[in-house]
Amino acid sequence: MRNTPSTVHGPCRMKVKVWGNHEAMSVAAAGCIAREVLRCPRLLVCLATGSTPARTYELLGCRARQSPALFNHVRVLKLDEWAGLPMSDRGSSEAYLQQRVIRPWGVSQSSLVGFVSDAKQSKLECQRIQKWLARNGPIDLCVLGLGSNGHLGFNEPASTLCPVAHRALLAQQTRAHPMLSHTTVKPRYGLTLGMAEILQATQILLLVSGAHKRRALKRLLREEISTQFPASLLCLHPRTTLLCDREAAMQAPAQMT
Ligand code: GLP
């Protein structure tokens, strides 16, 4: 196992760090988030859900137990949400963040901002988030996961992408996400921040882990920018760090593994 990552700078501006396994990657990600919070206690952090960042969030929960005031002033913005799923459903992004971030980090409920999954009018709900972000943004640190089809949040591969918060038709693959494994009715739509709102973040941390992400990571590292692979737009961002584990980086260019 590797204790220090291999670091590569490609022609695109993304910094790539390959860690020996998911645990090492999560320790590094948690360290990076904690450093930013110490530097800026009122940090606006946008958080993805899913299995990739779960351990990172758990490690930060441990830090909060040691320093209970650490996250007192942090503001958390939900990256995306399954449209139509009740907020209380255990598969919702809301439930995920409440359980893994808000309670263990000791963030106050009023400091969590995000889409209401079962809002009656999703268009108005997205406009509410657009306006909130325009007033309170930009995001200081955006923590992202990589969809195996290259999506970020619910910005799915398409010939055009919506720049701001919107309701998105989910790809078939996305509807099969393990967060929804218990539900009989799979949401057809997601509510998500748009690519411009993500790219306006001061700093982005992209986490990629596991053998099932190899193909997506390989494509990302090809550095061809296309709306058919939304994560490739991160190559245009000046401060994106990609943290991945060796499992995911297996098919990446040789110097990275
Ligand atoms: C879901 C979430 C994304 C997440 C992605 C990857 O679609 N909406 O925010 O980043 O899947 O999830 P995982 O980390 O479980 O692979």
PDB file of all heavy atoms in Angstrom, residues 30-62:
ATOM      1  N   ALA A  30     -10.445  13.922   3.475  1.00  0.00           N
ATOM      2  CA  ALA A  30     -10.899  14.501   4.749  1.00  0.00           C
ATOM      3  C   ALA A  30      -9.903  15.564   5.214  1.00  0.00           C
ATOM      4  O   ALA A  30     -10.299  16.637   5.689  1.00  0.00           O
ATOM      5  CB  ALA A  30     -11.049  13.397   5.798  1.00  0.00           C
ATOM      6  N   GLY A  31      -8.608  15.281   5.053  1.00  0.00           N
ATOM      7  CA  GLY A  31      -7.570  16.247   5.445  1.00  0.00           C
ATOM      8  C   GLY A  31      -7.716  17.538   4.662  1.00  0.00           C
ATOM      9  O   GLY A  31      -7.622  18.641   5.209  1.00  0.00           O
ATOM     10  N   CYS A  32      -7.977  17.394   3.389  1.00  0.00           N
ATOM     11  CA  CYS A  32      -8.095  18.560   2.515  1.00  0.00           C
ATOM     12  C   CYS A  32      -9.316  19.410   2.910  1.00  0.00           C
ATOM     13  O   CYS A  32      -9.227  20.639   3.009  1.00  0.00           O
ATOM     14  CB  CYS A  32      -8.192  18.033   1.087  1.00  0.00           C
ATOM     15  SG  CYS A  32      -8.496  19.273  -0.102  1.00  0.00           S
ATOM     16  N   ILE A  33     -10.443  18.755   3.178  1.00  0.00           N
ATOM     17  CA  ILE A  33     -11.660  19.499   3.563  1.00  0.00           C
ATOM     18  C   ILE A  33     -11.444  20.177   4.925  1.00  0.00           C
ATOM     19  O   ILE A  33     -11.758  21.359   5.099  1.00  0.00           O
ATOM     20  CB  ILE A  33     -12.893  18.553   3.599  1.00  0.00           C
ATOM     21  CG1 ILE A  33     -13.162  18.001   2.196  1.00  0.00           C
ATOM     22  CG2 ILE A  33     -14.125  19.288   4.138  1.00  0.00           C
ATOM     23  CD1 ILE A  33     -14.151  16.845   2.141  1.00  0.00           C
ATOM     24  N   ALA A  34     -10.863  19.435   5.872  1.00  0.00           N
ATOM     25  CA  ALA A  34     -10.633  20.005   7.211  1.00  0.00           C
ATOM     26  C   ALA A  34      -9.714  21.226   7.122  1.00  0.00           C
ATOM     27  O   ALA A  34      -9.951  22.241   7.797  1.00  0.00           O
ATOM     28  CB  ALA A  34     -10.047  18.947   8.136  1.00  0.00           C
ATOM     29  N   ARG A  35      -8.682  21.140   6.297  1.00  0.00           N
ATOM     30  CA  ARG A  35      -7.761  22.283   6.144  1.00  0.00           C
ATOM     31  C   ARG A  35      -8.505  23.525   5.649  1.00  0.00           C
ATOM     32  O   ARG A  35      -8.292  24.626   6.133  1.00  0.00           O
ATOM     33  CB  ARG A  35      -6.655  21.930   5.136  1.00  0.00           C
ATOM     34  CG  ARG A  35      -5.386  21.432   5.792  1.00  0.00           C
ATOM     35  CD  ARG A  35      -4.205  21.422   4.825  1.00  0.00           C
ATOM     36  NE  ARG A  35      -4.451  20.748   3.558  1.00  0.00           N
ATOM     37  CZ  ARG A  35      -4.432  19.416   3.393  1.00  0.00           C
ATOM     38  NH1 ARG A  35      -4.168  18.626   4.412  1.00  0.00           N
ATOM     39  NH2 ARG A  35      -4.654  18.877   2.220  1.00  0.00           N
ATOM     40  N   GLU A  36      -9.385  23.308   4.679  1.00  0.00           N
ATOM     41  CA  GLU A  36     -10.131  24.451   4.130  1.00  0.00           C
ATOM     42  C   GLU A  36     -11.056  25.059   5.185  1.00  0.00           C
ATOM     43  O   GLU A  36     -11.226  26.261   5.245  1.00  0.00           O
ATOM     44  CB  GLU A  36     -10.940  24.015   2.897  1.00  0.00           C
ATOM     45  CG  GLU A  36     -10.073  23.749   1.682  1.00  0.00           C
ATOM     46  CD  GLU A  36      -9.179  24.923   1.327  1.00  0.00           C
ATOM     47  OE1 GLU A  36      -9.684  26.055   1.188  1.00  0.00           O
ATOM     48  OE2 GLU A  36      -7.950  24.720   1.206  1.00  0.00           O
ATOM     49  N   VAL A  37     -11.659  24.191   6.011  1.00  0.00           N
ATOM     50  CA  VAL A  37     -12.554  24.697   7.067  1.00  0.00           C
ATOM     51  C   VAL A  37     -11.759  25.483   8.107  1.00  0.00           C
ATOM     52  O   VAL A  37     -12.196  26.538   8.580  1.00  0.00           O
ATOM     53  CB  VAL A  37     -13.326  23.524   7.731  1.00  0.00           C
ATOM     54  CG1 VAL A  37     -14.136  24.011   8.926  1.00  0.00           C
ATOM     55  CG2 VAL A  37     -14.245  22.846   6.718  1.00  0.00           C
ATOM     56  N   LEU A  38     -10.560  24.995   8.438  1.00  0.00           N
ATOM     57  CA  LEU A  38      -9.731  25.709   9.416  1.00  0.00           C
ATOM     58  C   LEU A  38      -9.315  27.069   8.862  1.00  0.00           C
ATOM     59  O   LEU A  38      -9.250  28.061   9.581  1.00  0.00           O
ATOM     60  CB  LEU A  38      -8.494  24.879   9.766  1.00  0.00           C
ATOM     61  CG  LEU A  38      -8.776  23.675  10.674  1.00  0.00           C
ATOM     62  CD1 LEU A  38      -7.570  22.748  10.737  1.00  0.00           C
ATOM     63  CD2 LEU A  38      -9.169  24.140  12.082  1.00  0.00           C
ATOM     64  N   ARG A  39      -9.067  27.099   7.548  1.00  0.00           N
ATOM     65  CA  ARG A  39      -8.640  28.342   6.901  1.00  0.00           C
ATOM     66  C   ARG A  39      -9.809  29.341   6.807  1.00  0.00           C
ATOM     67  O   ARG A  39      -9.649  30.537   6.931  1.00  0.00           O
ATOM     68  CB  ARG A  39      -8.130  27.989   5.501  1.00  0.00           C
ATOM     69  CG  ARG A  39      -7.251  29.010   4.836  1.00  0.00           C
ATOM     70  CD  ARG A  39      -6.925  28.600   3.409  1.00  0.00           C
ATOM     71  NE  ARG A  39      -8.095  28.240   2.624  1.00  0.00           N
ATOM     72  CZ  ARG A  39      -8.955  29.104   2.098  1.00  0.00           C
ATOM     73  NH1 ARG A  39      -8.777  30.384   2.257  1.00  0.00           N
ATOM     74  NH2 ARG A  39     -10.001  28.680   1.407  1.00  0.00           N
ATOM     75  N   CYS A  40     -10.996  28.783   6.564  1.00  0.00           N
ATOM     76  CA  CYS A  40     -12.176  29.626   6.353  1.00  0.00           C
ATOM     77  C   CYS A  40     -13.371  28.991   7.071  1.00  0.00           C
ATOM     78  O   CYS A  40     -14.071  28.160   6.507  1.00  0.00           O
ATOM     79  CB  CYS A  40     -12.434  29.740   4.847  1.00  0.00           C
ATOM     80  SG  CYS A  40     -13.998  30.513   4.446  1.00  0.00           S
ATOM     81  N   PRO A  41     -13.612  29.368   8.328  1.00  0.00           N
ATOM     82  CA  PRO A  41     -14.656  28.702   9.125  1.00  0.00           C
ATOM     83  C   PRO A  41     -16.062  28.793   8.521  1.00  0.00           C
ATOM     84  O   PRO A  41     -16.889  27.936   8.760  1.00  0.00           O
ATOM     85  CB  PRO A  41     -14.581  29.424  10.473  1.00  0.00           C
ATOM     86  CG  PRO A  41     -13.195  29.987  10.521  1.00  0.00           C
ATOM     87  CD  PRO A  41     -12.837  30.337   9.111  1.00  0.00           C
ATOM     88  N   ARG A  42     -16.315  29.842   7.712  1.00  0.00           N
ATOM     89  CA  ARG A  42     -17.658  29.972   7.108  1.00  0.00           C
ATOM     90  C   ARG A  42     -17.712  29.372   5.702  1.00  0.00           C
ATOM     91  O   ARG A  42     -18.527  29.748   4.849  1.00  0.00           O
ATOM     92  CB  ARG A  42     -18.050  31.456   7.045  1.00  0.00           C
ATOM     93  CG  ARG A  42     -18.967  31.869   8.188  1.00  0.00           C
ATOM     94  CD  ARG A  42     -19.407  33.311   8.061  1.00  0.00           C
ATOM     95  NE  ARG A  42     -20.152  33.606   6.829  1.00  0.00           N
ATOM     96  CZ  ARG A  42     -21.419  33.278   6.629  1.00  0.00           C
ATOM     97  NH1 ARG A  42     -22.092  32.637   7.564  1.00  0.00           N
ATOM     98  NH2 ARG A  42     -22.025  33.606   5.508  1.00  0.00           N
ATOM     99  N   LEU A  43     -16.853  28.408   5.462  1.00  0.00           N
ATOM    100  CA  LEU A  43     -16.740  27.796   4.137  1.00  0.00           C
ATOM    101  C   LEU A  43     -18.111  27.379   3.593  1.00  0.00           C
ATOM    102  O   LEU A  43     -18.922  26.795   4.318  1.00  0.00           O
ATOM    103  CB  LEU A  43     -15.868  26.538   4.269  1.00  0.00           C
ATOM    104  CG  LEU A  43     -15.248  25.994   2.991  1.00  0.00           C
ATOM    105  CD1 LEU A  43     -14.053  26.843   2.570  1.00  0.00           C
ATOM    106  CD2 LEU A  43     -14.789  24.550   3.197  1.00  0.00           C
ATOM    107  N   LEU A  44     -18.346  27.665   2.311  1.00  0.00           N
ATOM    108  CA  LEU A  44     -19.534  27.115   1.643  1.00  0.00           C
ATOM    109  C   LEU A  44     -19.068  25.881   0.889  1.00  0.00           C
ATOM    110  O   LEU A  44     -18.339  25.975  -0.105  1.00  0.00           O
ATOM    111  CB  LEU A  44     -20.151  28.146   0.682  1.00  0.00           C
ATOM    112  CG  LEU A  44     -21.303  27.614  -0.182  1.00  0.00           C
ATOM    113  CD1 LEU A  44     -22.448  27.047   0.673  1.00  0.00           C
ATOM    114  CD2 LEU A  44     -21.849  28.716  -1.098  1.00  0.00           C
ATOM    115  N   VAL A  45     -19.469  24.731   1.410  1.00  0.00           N
ATOM    116  CA  VAL A  45     -19.011  23.482   0.821  1.00  0.00           C
ATOM    117  C   VAL A  45     -20.199  22.779   0.172  1.00  0.00           C
ATOM    118  O   VAL A  45     -21.261  22.651   0.766  1.00  0.00           O
ATOM    119  CB  VAL A  45     -18.284  22.615   1.887  1.00  0.00           C
ATOM    120  CG1 VAL A  45     -19.182  22.229   3.030  1.00  0.00           C
ATOM    121  CG2 VAL A  45     -17.689  21.368   1.283  1.00  0.00           C
ATOM    122  N   CYS A  46     -20.009  22.406  -1.079  1.00  0.00           N
ATOM    123  CA  CYS A  46     -21.074  21.694  -1.798  1.00  0.00           C
ATOM    124  C   CYS A  46     -20.708  20.207  -1.777  1.00  0.00           C
ATOM    125  O   CYS A  46     -19.573  19.844  -2.116  1.00  0.00           O
ATOM    126  CB  CYS A  46     -21.142  22.224  -3.228  1.00  0.00           C
ATOM    127  SG  CYS A  46     -22.273  21.284  -4.249  1.00  0.00           S
ATOM    128  N   LEU A  47     -21.657  19.375  -1.373  1.00  0.00           N
ATOM    129  CA  LEU A  47     -21.311  17.964  -1.176  1.00  0.00           C
ATOM    130  C   LEU A  47     -22.124  17.010  -2.046  1.00  0.00           C
ATOM    131  O   LEU A  47     -23.355  17.082  -2.101  1.00  0.00           O
ATOM    132  CB  LEU A  47     -21.516  17.576   0.295  1.00  0.00           C
ATOM    133  CG  LEU A  47     -20.666  18.337   1.317  1.00  0.00           C
ATOM    134  CD1 LEU A  47     -20.977  17.848   2.725  1.00  0.00           C
ATOM    135  CD2 LEU A  47     -19.173  18.205   1.023  1.00  0.00           C
ATOM    136  N   ALA A  48     -21.403  16.089  -2.679  1.00  0.00           N
ATOM    137  CA  ALA A  48     -22.036  14.988  -3.412  1.00  0.00           C
ATOM    138  C   ALA A  48     -22.397  13.902  -2.407  1.00  0.00           C
ATOM    139  O   ALA A  48     -21.876  13.866  -1.285  1.00  0.00           O
ATOM    140  CB  ALA A  48     -21.059  14.429  -4.440  1.00  0.00           C
ATOM    141  N   THR A  49     -23.278  13.019  -2.832  1.00  0.00           N
ATOM    142  CA  THR A  49     -23.618  11.863  -2.003  1.00  0.00           C
ATOM    143  C   THR A  49     -23.002  10.620  -2.682  1.00  0.00           C
ATOM    144  O   THR A  49     -22.054  10.751  -3.435  1.00  0.00           O
ATOM    145  CB  THR A  49     -25.144  11.745  -1.867  1.00  0.00           C
ATOM    146  OG1 THR A  49     -25.714  11.659  -3.176  1.00  0.00           O
ATOM    147  CG2 THR A  49     -25.717  12.952  -1.138  1.00  0.00           C
ATOM    148  N   GLY A  50     -23.514   9.439  -2.373  1.00  0.00           N
ATOM    149  CA  GLY A  50     -22.995   8.216  -3.003  1.00  0.00           C
ATOM    150  C   GLY A  50     -21.973   7.523  -2.122  1.00  0.00           C
ATOM    151  O   GLY A  50     -21.616   8.012  -1.035  1.00  0.00           O
ATOM    152  N   SER A  51     -21.483   6.402  -2.602  1.00  0.00           N
ATOM    153  CA  SER A  51     -20.593   5.589  -1.763  1.00  0.00           C
ATOM    154  C   SER A  51     -19.165   6.153  -1.717  1.00  0.00           C
ATOM    155  O   SER A  51     -18.468   5.996  -0.715  1.00  0.00           O
ATOM    156  CB  SER A  51     -20.566   4.141  -2.274  1.00  0.00           C
ATOM    157  OG  SER A  51     -20.081   4.152  -3.593  1.00  0.00           O
ATOM    158  N   THR A  52     -18.730   6.839  -2.775  1.00  0.00           N
ATOM    159  CA  THR A  52     -17.329   7.278  -2.825  1.00  0.00           C
ATOM    160  C   THR A  52     -16.936   8.200  -1.658  1.00  0.00           C
ATOM    161  O   THR A  52     -15.927   7.942  -1.006  1.00  0.00           O
ATOM    162  CB  THR A  52     -17.017   7.948  -4.181  1.00  0.00           C
ATOM    163  OG1 THR A  52     -17.533   7.115  -5.218  1.00  0.00           O
ATOM    164  CG2 THR A  52     -15.535   8.147  -4.384  1.00  0.00           C
ATOM    165  N   PRO A  53     -17.717   9.255  -1.367  1.00  0.00           N
ATOM    166  CA  PRO A  53     -17.265  10.156  -0.289  1.00  0.00           C
ATOM    167  C   PRO A  53     -17.704   9.733   1.117  1.00  0.00           C
ATOM    168  O   PRO A  53     -17.398  10.438   2.083  1.00  0.00           O
ATOM    169  CB  PRO A  53     -17.908  11.495  -0.672  1.00  0.00           C
ATOM    170  CG  PRO A  53     -19.151  11.128  -1.399  1.00  0.00           C
ATOM    171  CD  PRO A  53     -18.912   9.786  -2.049  1.00  0.00           C
ATOM    172  N   ALA A  54     -18.404   8.606   1.246  1.00  0.00           N
ATOM    173  CA  ALA A  54     -19.000   8.249   2.544  1.00  0.00           C
ATOM    174  C   ALA A  54     -17.948   8.150   3.653  1.00  0.00           C
ATOM    175  O   ALA A  54     -18.129   8.664   4.760  1.00  0.00           O
ATOM    176  CB  ALA A  54     -19.789   6.950   2.414  1.00  0.00           C
ATOM    177  N   ARG A  55     -16.838   7.493   3.360  1.00  0.00           N
ATOM    178  CA  ARG A  55     -15.788   7.339   4.385  1.00  0.00           C
ATOM    179  C   ARG A  55     -15.137   8.697   4.709  1.00  0.00           C
ATOM    180  O   ARG A  55     -14.791   8.974   5.863  1.00  0.00           O
ATOM    181  CB  ARG A  55     -14.761   6.306   3.892  1.00  0.00           C
ATOM    182  CG  ARG A  55     -13.600   6.067   4.818  1.00  0.00           C
ATOM    183  CD  ARG A  55     -14.000   5.412   6.132  1.00  0.00           C
ATOM    184  NE  ARG A  55     -12.833   5.182   6.977  1.00  0.00           N
ATOM    185  CZ  ARG A  55     -12.857   5.269   8.302  1.00  0.00           C
ATOM    186  NH1 ARG A  55     -13.980   5.544   8.948  1.00  0.00           N
ATOM    187  NH2 ARG A  55     -11.767   5.053   9.005  1.00  0.00           N
ATOM    188  N   THR A  56     -14.967   9.515   3.693  1.00  0.00           N
ATOM    189  CA  THR A  56     -14.403  10.863   3.923  1.00  0.00           C
ATOM    190  C   THR A  56     -15.269  11.609   4.939  1.00  0.00           C
ATOM    191  O   THR A  56     -14.761  12.201   5.901  1.00  0.00           O
ATOM    192  CB  THR A  56     -14.379  11.658   2.592  1.00  0.00           C
ATOM    193  OG1 THR A  56     -13.563  10.956   1.664  1.00  0.00           O
ATOM    194  CG2 THR A  56     -13.869  13.066   2.767  1.00  0.00           C
ATOM    195  N   TYR A  57     -16.583  11.564   4.730  1.00  0.00           N
ATOM    196  CA  TYR A  57     -17.489  12.272   5.630  1.00  0.00           C
ATOM    197  C   TYR A  57     -17.425  11.668   7.036  1.00  0.00           C
ATOM    198  O   TYR A  57     -17.461  12.379   8.037  1.00  0.00           O
ATOM    199  CB  TYR A  57     -18.927  12.232   5.092  1.00  0.00           C
ATOM    200  CG  TYR A  57     -19.098  12.876   3.723  1.00  0.00           C
ATOM    201  CD1 TYR A  57     -20.166  12.540   2.885  1.00  0.00           C
ATOM    202  CD2 TYR A  57     -18.210  13.844   3.263  1.00  0.00           C
ATOM    203  CE1 TYR A  57     -20.327  13.135   1.635  1.00  0.00           C
ATOM    204  CE2 TYR A  57     -18.355  14.433   2.010  1.00  0.00           C
ATOM    205  CZ  TYR A  57     -19.418  14.075   1.200  1.00  0.00           C
ATOM    206  OH  TYR A  57     -19.569  14.660  -0.036  1.00  0.00           O
ATOM    207  N   GLU A  58     -17.294  10.336   7.086  1.00  0.00           N
ATOM    208  CA  GLU A  58     -17.228   9.669   8.391  1.00  0.00           C
ATOM    209  C   GLU A  58     -15.967  10.110   9.145  1.00  0.00           C
ATOM    210  O   GLU A  58     -16.007  10.391  10.348  1.00  0.00           O
ATOM    211  CB  GLU A  58     -17.216   8.155   8.160  1.00  0.00           C
ATOM    212  CG  GLU A  58     -17.390   7.348   9.413  1.00  0.00           C
ATOM    213  CD  GLU A  58     -17.291   5.840   9.164  1.00  0.00           C
ATOM    214  OE1 GLU A  58     -17.034   5.429   8.012  1.00  0.00           O
ATOM    215  OE2 GLU A  58     -17.462   5.088  10.111  1.00  0.00           O
ATOM    216  N   LEU A  59     -14.851  10.184   8.432  1.00  0.00           N
ATOM    217  CA  LEU A  59     -13.597  10.610   9.074  1.00  0.00           C
ATOM    218  C   LEU A  59     -13.719  12.040   9.605  1.00  0.00           C
ATOM    219  O   LEU A  59     -13.182  12.372  10.666  1.00  0.00           O
ATOM    220  CB  LEU A  59     -12.437  10.513   8.079  1.00  0.00           C
ATOM    221  CG  LEU A  59     -12.009   9.081   7.717  1.00  0.00           C
ATOM    222  CD1 LEU A  59     -11.106   9.084   6.474  1.00  0.00           C
ATOM    223  CD2 LEU A  59     -11.280   8.434   8.889  1.00  0.00           C
ATOM    224  N   LEU A  60     -14.437  12.876   8.869  1.00  0.00           N
ATOM    225  CA  LEU A  60     -14.619  14.252   9.339  1.00  0.00           C
ATOM    226  C   LEU A  60     -15.529  14.287  10.569  1.00  0.00           C
ATOM    227  O   LEU A  60     -15.370  15.150  11.435  1.00  0.00           O
ATOM    228  CB  LEU A  60     -15.161  15.132   8.206  1.00  0.00           C
ATOM    229  CG  LEU A  60     -14.112  15.418   7.124  1.00  0.00           C
ATOM    230  CD1 LEU A  60     -14.752  16.010   5.876  1.00  0.00           C
ATOM    231  CD2 LEU A  60     -13.022  16.358   7.647  1.00  0.00           C
ATOM    232  N   GLY A  61     -16.442  13.324  10.646  1.00  0.00           N
ATOM    233  CA  GLY A  61     -17.274  13.181  11.842  1.00  0.00           C
ATOM    234  C   GLY A  61     -16.396  12.871  13.049  1.00  0.00           C
ATOM    235  O   GLY A  61     -16.621  13.387  14.152  1.00  0.00           O
ATOM    236  N   CYS A  62     -15.361  12.049  12.843  1.00  0.00           N
ATOM    237  CA  CYS A  62     -14.427  11.730  13.942  1.00  0.00           C
ATOM    238  C   CYS A  62     -13.688  12.996  14.371  1.00  0.00           C
ATOM    239  O   CYS A  62     -13.511  13.260  15.558  1.00  0.00           O
ATOM    240  CB  CYS A  62     -13.398  10.687  13.504  1.00  0.00           C
ATOM    241  SG  CYS A  62     -14.136   9.124  13.042  1.00  0.00           S
TER     242      CYS A  62
END
